[in-house]
Amino acid sequence: MMEERANLMHMMKLSIKVLLQSALSLGRSLDAEHAPLQQFFVVMEHCLKHGLKVKKSFIGQNKSFFGPLELVEKLCPEASDIATSVRNLPELKTAVGRGRAWLYLALMQKKLADYLKVLIDNKHLLSEFYEPEALMMEEEGMVIVGLLVGLNVLDANLCLKGEDLDSQVGVIDFSLYLKDVQDLEGGKEHERITDVLDQKNYVEELNRHLSCTVGDLQTKIDSLEKTNSKLQEELSAATDRICSLQEEQQQLREQNELIRERSEKSVEITKQDTKVELETYKQTRQGLDEMYSDVWKQLKEEKKVRLELEKELELQIGMKTEMEIAMKLLEKDTHEKQDTLVALRQQLEEVKAINLQMFHKVQDAESSLQQKNETITSLEEKINQVMSSMKQMEQRVQHSERARQGAEARSHELQRELGGRSHELQQELSQAHGHCSSLEKELKSEKEQRQALQRELQHEKDTSSLLRAELQQVEGLKKELRELQDEKSELQKVCDEQEQALQEMGLHLSQSKLKMEDIKEVNKALKGHTWLKDDEATQCKQCEKEFSISRRKHHCRNCGHIFCNTCSSNELALPSYPKPVRVCDSCHTLLLQRCSSTGS
């Protein structure tokens, strides 16, 4: 495989060299019959076939280089035109012919080197078609791409329609490359100028190719820098979050330790309290029973009061809903008042009635608020009574402790006096221990009852706070009612102003009607003509055209008949009118004739 790669590399170098020399002698334009060009395609075909994997099918074995060339269409969108044109050629029936046509078209586009470079850059895709030691998978493939860049100087004019690319035999003709060294040196001496130009073009093509690669690398570097900056920002944010979480964890640990210490202290205190309560329970049992009975009675009374308060709250909620409905009705009334004056007056009457209802409801709400305040004061008095009873219980407990101390002193004296009675006292002590255990059970039940009473007291406090909040809401409703009353006064002012404006308009209209009637009477007295009504005339008297929106009606101030705009566009000063007024054409001519006759 290594020898084949080396031989193919030498042949590719010779074929490209001979092709460039022959093209320079012919003026850099080549056709399909040019022998060095044909040999170049043969060598290129052998290079692409080197190391191809054999694909077995039910027909037979397939070993074509057109498969990897089809990948160029996916990697480089510019090559899609070549692939579609190759597939649309009807003369090509084999994959080898399509591959040869693809090479022809790529050379004519001067992008053969670019397409092969894209293939070699994606070797993970080429591994499906080539062996690992193939020429396209090794470094020789990149060398061939560099050699092919020089062919971009040539102009190839190849016709694919008439040629039979499927049945061509790809045999390398070595006779083209076996020439005398002297002939070659002589040809070089005669063609130095053309070689310099070719080298210049070759260098320019290489520079273009390198600039494209540098631009691609620069864009990749920019994208990588952006991703790196984003990752650094995310990393810094993550570190900050980790630090904050560690600080929170430390704080939580400290809080847990404090809570644990407090709980241990509270447990010790409760143990001591339970011991003291067990000792004092025997003497304070009767007093506690009485106190508990009183507290139970007070709780029952407070429950009844609470039920009454809940009923009052439901009534207040209903009042609130009625207030909201009244507000909505007021808003609707204000919108409807803008339509007509008659609707405004009717709505004002409705608003007055609703305001009266609202005033009565506010009075009811104030009375209910006073009742609630009284209930709250009574509840506070009851709470004070309970607190005083608790203080009395504490005093009794202190008294029982003093009695216990006296009893202990007496017991010491009795022990001194009654030393012989120890056995009997021990039996009594065992009985007393059993009685103590029963008393402890009773004390636990009493503690539970006490806790329940404390919970109920707390619940009553919550209800009192809720009642206070409802009082605040009622005050807010009062403020809203005041605002509504202000709005009502403003609306009444607007309505009064509108009524005054309407009265003034009515006065103006009545005055204008009187003036019009006076003018009509003057016209009738002066001329004896009748003033036609608008409903009596449907067409112009002169041109007899029907009236419409565009052709409007106009009265002649002389004869009183109705004409269109074109037939009554003239204006003259009449005896009854000091200023020029509209006159029909016939009246205009008659009046002008009269004026001319009187003037003469």
Side-chain angles (χ1 to χ4, degrees):
M1 294 288 282
M2 290 176 67
E3 290 177 357
E4 287 178 358
R5 285 204 305 272
N7 293 329
L8 287 170
M9 279 296 302
H10 290 307
M11 289 304 301
M12 180 58 72
K13 288 177 182 179
L14 285 171
S15 63
I16 292 170
K17 185 178 180 182
V18 171
L19 181 60
L20 288 171
Q21 288 176 359
S22 62
L24 291 171
S25 63
L26 295 172
R28 301 181 190 175
S29 61
L30 305 174
D31 54 1
E33 295 178 357
H34 190 60
L37 184 60
Q38 292 178 356
Q39 288 299 309
F40 164 74
F41 284 122
V42 172
V43 174
M44 192 72 211
E45 185 178 344
H46 280 283
C47 291
L48 291 171
K49 283 183 178 179
H50 184 262
L52 265 176
K53 291 181 181 179
V54 178
K55 291 185 178 180
K56 295 181 180 180
S57 63
F58 65 94
I59 299 169
Q61 294 181 352
N62 185 12
K63 190 176 182 182
S64 173
F65 62 93
F66 185 61
L69 294 178
E70 285 182 326
L71 294 173
V72 180
E73 184 181 0
K74 298 178 182 178
L75 300 172
C76 187
E78 296 175 358
S80 60
D81 296 334
I82 296 174
T84 52
S85 59
V86 166
R87 292 191 190 97
N88 292 328
L89 287 172
E91 297 90 359
L92 302 177
K93 297 180 181 179
T94 61
V96 177
R98 294 190 187 93
R100 290 168 181 169
W102 191 92
L103 291 174
Y104 282 15
L105 293 171
L107 185 65
M108 283 194 285
Q109 280 189 354
K110 296 184 180 181
K111 289 187 178 180
L112 182 59
D114 296 335
Y115 294 155
L116 291 178
K117 184 180 180 299
V118 170
L119 272 178
I120 291 167
D121 289 338
N122 296 281
K123 289 184 180 179
H124 62 283
L125 297 174
L126 285 176
S127 61
E128 297 179 2
F129 299 95
Y130 289 101
E131 299 289 340
E133 296 179 356
L135 187 139
M136 296 295 289
M137 299 293 289
E138 296 291 338
E139 294 180 357
E140 286 83 353
M142 289 301 296
V143 176
I144 288 171
V145 170
L147 293 171
L148 291 173
V149 173
L151 296 179
N152 293 334
V153 182
L154 305 178
D155 294 329
N157 297 320
L158 306 174
C159 184
L160 301 176
K161 290 183 179 180
E163 294 189 3
D164 188 8
L165 297 175
D166 294 331
S167 61
Q168 284 183 1
V169 179
V171 179
I172 300 171
D173 187 7
F174 294 99
S175 63
L176 292 171
Y177 312 114
L178 298 173
K179 293 183 178 180
D180 294 333
V181 179
Q182 294 178 357
D183 295 334
L184 292 171
E185 289 177 356
K188 287 179 182 178
E189 290 176 357
H190 292 291
E191 296 176 354
R192 285 178 183 176
I193 297 167
T194 56
D195 290 337
V196 170
L197 293 172
D198 293 334
Q199 287 175 2
K200 182 183 177 183
N201 292 325
Y202 179 71
V203 170
E204 288 177 353
E205 192 67 28
L206 281 174
N207 287 327
R208 185 185 66 79
H209 191 68
L210 289 171
S211 65
C212 293
T213 55
V214 167
D216 295 334
L217 291 171
Q218 190 67 34
T219 53
K220 288 180 182 178
I221 288 164
D222 293 335
S223 64
L224 288 170
E225 286 178 353
K226 289 178 182 177
T227 52
N228 284 326
S229 63
K230 289 180 182 177
L231 289 170
Q232 286 176 359
E233 290 175 357
E234 289 177 357
L235 196 143
S236 62
T239 52
D240 295 335
R241 191 175 179 183
I242 287 164
C243 293
S244 63
L245 289 171
Q246 287 178 355
E247 290 176 357
E248 288 178 359
Q249 188 178 5
Q250 188 66 29
Q251 291 175 359
L252 289 170
R253 286 178 181 174
E254 292 175 357
Q255 290 177 359
N256 286 325
E257 289 177 358
L258 290 170
I259 291 163
R260 185 174 57 77
E261 291 175 358
R262 289 175 183 174
S263 64
E264 289 176 356
K265 289 179 182 178
S266 64
V267 168
E268 290 176 358
I269 291 164
T270 51
K271 285 181 180 178
Q272 292 176 1
D273 293 335
T274 52
K275 288 179 182 178
V276 172
E277 287 176 356
L278 283 169
E279 290 174 357
T280 58
Y281 177 74
K282 293 178 182 179
Q283 297 177 359
T284 60
R285 174 75 181 275
Q286 294 177 356
L288 288 171
D289 290 334
E290 293 175 357
M291 291 298 295
Y292 283 135
S293 62
D294 295 333
V295 170
W296 274 109
K297 290 177 181 178
Q298 290 176 0
L299 280 171
K300 288 178 181 178
E301 292 176 356
E302 287 175 356
K303 284 180 181 178
K304 291 178 181 178
V305 172
R306 183 186 170 190
L307 292 170
E308 292 176 356
L309 289 171
E310 286 179 353
K311 290 178 181 178
E312 290 178 357
L313 281 170
E314 289 177 355
L315 290 171
Q316 284 183 357
I317 290 164
M319 293 284 288
K320 188 177 178 182
T321 53
E322 289 177 358
M323 291 278 285
E324 291 177 354
I325 292 163
M327 287 287 290
K328 291 178 181 178
L329 290 170
L330 281 170
E331 289 177 358
K332 290 179 180 178
D333 292 334
T334 52
H335 286 298
E336 289 173 357
K337 281 174 186 176
Q338 294 177 359
D339 296 334
T340 56
L341 277 171
V342 177
L344 281 169
R345 289 173 183 171
Q346 291 176 357
Q347 287 174 0
L348 280 170
E349 292 175 359
E350 291 177 359
V351 168
K352 287 177 182 178
I354 290 165
N355 283 326
L356 289 170
Q357 291 177 3
M358 292 283 287
F359 182 72
H360 292 303
K361 288 178 182 178
V362 167
Q363 288 180 351
D364 295 334
E366 287 178 353
S367 63
S368 64
L369 280 171
Q370 290 177 359
Q371 291 176 2
K372 286 180 181 178
N373 287 322
E374 291 175 357
T375 54
I376 286 163
T377 54
S378 65
L379 285 171
E380 288 178 352
E381 289 176 357
K382 288 178 182 178
I383 289 163
N384 292 324
Q385 290 176 3
V386 172
M387 293 297 290
S388 64
S389 64
M390 291 294 288
K391 288 180 181 178
Q392 289 176 3
M393 287 173 69
E394 289 177 356
Q395 290 176 0
R396 288 180 184 178
V397 169
Q398 290 176 0
H399 183 69
S400 64
E401 285 180 357
R402 290 173 186 173
R404 183 181 60 77
Q405 290 176 359
E408 285 179 356
R410 290 174 186 173
S411 65
H412 286 300
E413 291 176 358
L414 289 168
Q415 283 178 2
R416 290 174 186 175
E417 292 177 356
L418 301 173
R421 287 182 170 181
S422 61
H423 184 67
E424 293 177 358
L425 288 171
Q426 285 177 357
Q427 291 178 354
E428 290 177 359
L429 281 170
S430 63
Q431 292 175 0
H433 282 299
H435 188 62
C436 283
S437 61
S438 63
L439 288 173
E440 283 177 358
K441 292 178 182 178
E442 291 177 357
L443 194 141
K444 287 181 181 178
S445 63
E446 294 293 333
K447 274 187 180 179
E448 291 175 355
Q449 291 177 358
R450 185 179 177 184
Q451 290 176 357
L453 287 169
Q454 287 177 355
R455 288 172 188 169
E456 290 179 355
L457 283 170
Q458 187 65 32
H459 188 66
E460 293 295 331
K461 287 180 181 179
D462 295 334
T463 53
S464 64
S465 63
L466 288 170
L467 288 169
R468 287 173 185 170
E470 287 176 356
L471 282 171
Q472 292 178 358
Q473 289 179 0
V474 171
E475 288 177 357
L477 288 170
K478 283 182 180 180
K479 290 179 181 178
E480 290 178 358
L481 202 151
R482 289 170 187 169
E483 291 176 357
L484 286 169
Q485 288 176 353
D486 296 333
E487 289 179 358
K488 178 199 160 188
S489 61
E490 290 176 358
L491 287 169
Q492 283 179 352
K493 288 178 182 178
V494 172
C495 289
D496 294 333
E497 291 174 357
Q498 288 178 356
E499 285 178 354
Q500 289 177 1
L502 283 168
Q503 288 175 1
E504 291 175 357
M505 290 288 290
L507 289 171
H508 287 298
L509 285 169
S510 61
Q511 290 175 3
S512 62
K513 284 180 180 178
L514 289 170
K515 287 179 182 179
M516 288 293 292
E517 288 176 356
D518 293 336
I519 290 163
K520 286 178 182 178
E521 288 177 357
V522 169
N523 284 328
K524 287 178 182 178
L526 290 171
K527 299 167 187 166
H529 297 293
T530 57
W531 186 269
L532 291 176
K533 294 181 180 180
D534 292 332
D535 298 330
E536 292 177 358
T538 58
Q539 60 186 3
C540 180
K541 188 176 181 182
Q542 186 174 349
C543 64
E544 295 183 353
K545 292 181 179 179
E546 290 183 356
F547 295 112
S548 63
I549 295 169
S550 60
R551 188 177 289 106
R552 299 179 66 186
K553 299 176 181 180
H554 296 284
H555 283 87
C556 177
R557 298 296 187 274
N558 188 26
C559 64
H561 293 289
I562 296 172
F563 299 89
C564 62
N565 191 18
T566 56
C567 298
S568 62
S569 60
N570 298 310
E571 291 182 355
L572 279 174
L574 299 174
S576 59
Y577 298 97
K579 293 182 180 180
V581 291
R582 189 182 289 273
V583 180
C584 64
D585 294 338
S586 59
C587 293
H588 185 260
T589 53
L590 288 169
L591 290 169
L592 286 174
Q593 289 175 3
R594 287 177 185 175
C595 289
S596 61
S597 62
T598 54
S600 61

